[in-house]
Amino acid sequence: MSLRVRRSNLSFCNLEMETMKAKILIVEDEPAITETIQYALETDGFVTHCLSCGKPVISLLKKEAIDLIILDIGLPDINGMELCKEIRKTHSLPIIFLTARADEVDRVVGLEIGADDYVVKPFSPRELSARIRAVLRRTQQPVVAQSLNQAFQIDESRRQISYFGTPVELSRYEYNLLKILIHRPGHVYSRDQLMEMAWDEPEASMDRTVDAHIKNIRAKMKTIKPEIDPIITYRGVGYALKEDL
Ligand code: CA
């Protein structure tokens, strides 16, 4: 009961603030743990989504702009570490593992799995919330410091991106692609990753469509600043946004 009241109060928050809140996906099969985490995070101003098993995660990531995943290792349908590897094929968002076994920690933090952090059960929700903030600060800082403040401005509500103060006229997929690149300057995205993240039905498109759209985006930005090419091509790999704009 108290959880419900708390959540409905949060929905009265200033709408502008709402768009700034980080969306956290909690994947955990024990309802008591999920509720505890959800309550703590929403109290701290995060927006939460919850899943009690792992397999629906990939399709949810296509629909929702999730900023961070809290992932239990012991899930009923798929091992959290296996799921993490699947997610990493197409998404680079930060992942914090929940584990009940200290002997799993070595694998989790190792390069093999590529977690951003982990928490061993039982844990304090406050500690988890602090970890989330630290990971988000580490992974999102460049967006505010470099891209958004200087070269790029994104107006999500209008699906509008401005480049050095001038709005760029972008098609739907051009907008999606550029937004992804701006989100993590310097991060190299493969064509497959960009396709998965920017297209609604990636299966129906061909790989080179990404190249064609990047070419269009470049041409449009060149009309605004002819002396700069903000997108770096990594031959045979993919694309990244320049970090030093
Ligand atoms: Ca579990």
Side-chain angles (χ1 to χ4, degrees), residues 8-54:
S8 63
N9 283 346
L10 277 170
S11 68
F12 289 105
C13 284
N14 182 312
L15 263 181
E16 237 173 41
M17 286 302 292
E18 200 77 38
T19 59
M20 303 295 287
K21 287 180 181 174
K23 277 191 194 165
I24 314 294
L25 172 62
I26 304 163
V27 190
E28 164 65 64
D29 59 315
E30 287 170 67
I33 296 180
T34 304
E35 285 207 3
T36 307
I37 298 174
Q38 189 176 23
Y39 179 75
L41 296 191
E42 295 199 353
T43 304
D44 279 357
F46 294 108
V47 174
T48 58
H49 289 263
C50 302
L51 289 173
S52 57
C53 53

Side-chain angles (χ1 to χ4, degrees), residues 28-30 72-76 121:
E28 164 65 64
D29 59 315
E30 287 170 67
D72 183 34
I73 292 182
L75 292 169
K121 294 177 186 175

